[in-house]
Amino acid sequence: MHKQELLESIAAGNLLKEPTSEIRQLLKEKKKIIVVLDDDPTGTQTVHNVPIITEWTEEIIKKEVLSNRIFFILTNSRSLPSKEANIVGKTIGQRLRTIAEKYDRHLIVVSRGDSTLRGHYPGEVNALAEGLNLPNAKHILVPAFFEGGRYTFKDVHYVQEKDSFTPAGETPFAKDNTFGYQSSNLIDWIKEKSDNKISSDTIHSLSVDSLRKEKARVQTSILENSELTHIISNATANIDLEKLALACLSTNEPLLYRTAASFVNAISGIQPKALLSKGQVLGHNNNHGALIVIGSYVPKTTEQLNYLKQHTSAIFIELNVTNAVQESIFRKETLSISNEVENFINSGKTVVLYTSRTIVKGETKEDSLKIVNLVSKGVIAIVQNLKTTPKYILAKGGITSSDIATKALMVRRAIVIGQISKGIPVWELGYESKFPRVPYIVFPGNVGSKNTLNDIIKLLE
């Protein structure tokens, strides 16, 4: 473990001037439009004043391409089986290609994935390449996400917890029932995820030193190397991501990006802004209670839930996940809980609806994903039944927040107004939704300290 070197790299990088203005100029000159396919809603955790759509008909995509320089498409593909995720990627790729050719638009397409390496990779990026008709597009892999404590150094991806840095393959995220893995070294990780179909000879890693010390043309020449298929970027500070973005914008080489949220800012030239205040989040307040929905089951989320139970007077209601496979019992439970939630929110009480912490596994990864989705259906039904408009809604977990947004709240388009805490975005819901303009807080399962959830609720009281 290179902890001291890593800390020094972070500190040194934060002192360097970032080429943001050069990136913006190149985007303007080349008339680039950035489209981010987000495999769950948490990828909006670093941007502001950016639209996100949850449907991808050609007409809907066309409208965004013609009116925005950057927008997100929420695919929620992480909740899908791999074959379905690939179909989504290919379909969106085909529609983007059709629109780009018809209206002479130049697109940068980013597949935003999890900063702890969970998701359908490389499958859905390959499918996207097929849809875009870019069979030789190089994959640019950039999982660094500084707002959440994710750093890539000497090709190893690290997850920070307080003062410690743990290789990603040694964290609970790597033991995910559906997307588990062993490798922390990203070259090995790519080989592992591709079942060794991708050779290390075709993978190149860009070091932090090379990004900081060499001219963009050096990196560009690497991007244009015909023998390479995959390029990994080490990154410990924003300067590394922006230098990579500068090199990528300086070439006409076909590139597809699999990145965490931080790189979206780098390639788009969007600078972070101050965290949102209570007034900015709530806007037109009401006297009803708030609804907090916790579906994520990663240890960090459970720790935050337990801390919240000890420090707030909110009403806690548990949905028993072990009943999910028994349809009639589960339906009765969700109906009973729906009535409780309605009454408490109507009376001004904040309700924390959470799934029981028992992890129910299937015999296969696909079976485990099916169980997750059955539980999600129960949560969706409870929110769908809600008639009283909550003061705000907070959803904890990627699949949870996506399903609530698209299936329970019927969100078709929203605006990301900013972040209420580092890595935690707030959406303003569109007028077509169940609760128009209600603040919707998308809280990733793997972000924050034990008290972050409690702090947000306290702030908005």
Side-chain angles (χ1 to χ4, degrees), residues 10-65:
I10 294 168
N14 289 335
L15 295 175
L16 296 175
K17 186 177 185 301
E18 298 162 6
T20 311
S21 59
E22 294 174 65
I23 290 170
R24 290 174 177 171
Q25 185 61 32
L26 272 174
L27 288 168
K28 185 177 180 181
E29 288 175 3
K30 297 196 172 189
K31 298 180 180 178
K32 294 289 189 180
I33 296 165
I34 299 165
V35 185
V36 185
L37 277 62
D38 201 353
D39 74 352
D40 76 19
T42 64
T44 58
Q45 58 202 144
T46 55
V47 298
H48 51 88
N49 301 323
V50 172
I52 180 165
I53 56 174
T54 67
E55 295 180 327
W56 46 86
T57 65
E58 193 169 315
E59 186 63 28
I60 288 172
I61 295 175
K62 182 189 79 172
K63 185 176 179 181
E64 299 300 330
V65 167

Side-chain angles (χ1 to χ4, degrees), residues 19 211-214 216 238-247:
L211 286 164
R212 294 179 188 178
K213 294 176 181 178
E214 295 172 347
N238 284 324
I239 180 69
D240 309 321
L241 301 183
E242 292 207 4
K243 291 293 288 287
L244 171 65
L246 198 59

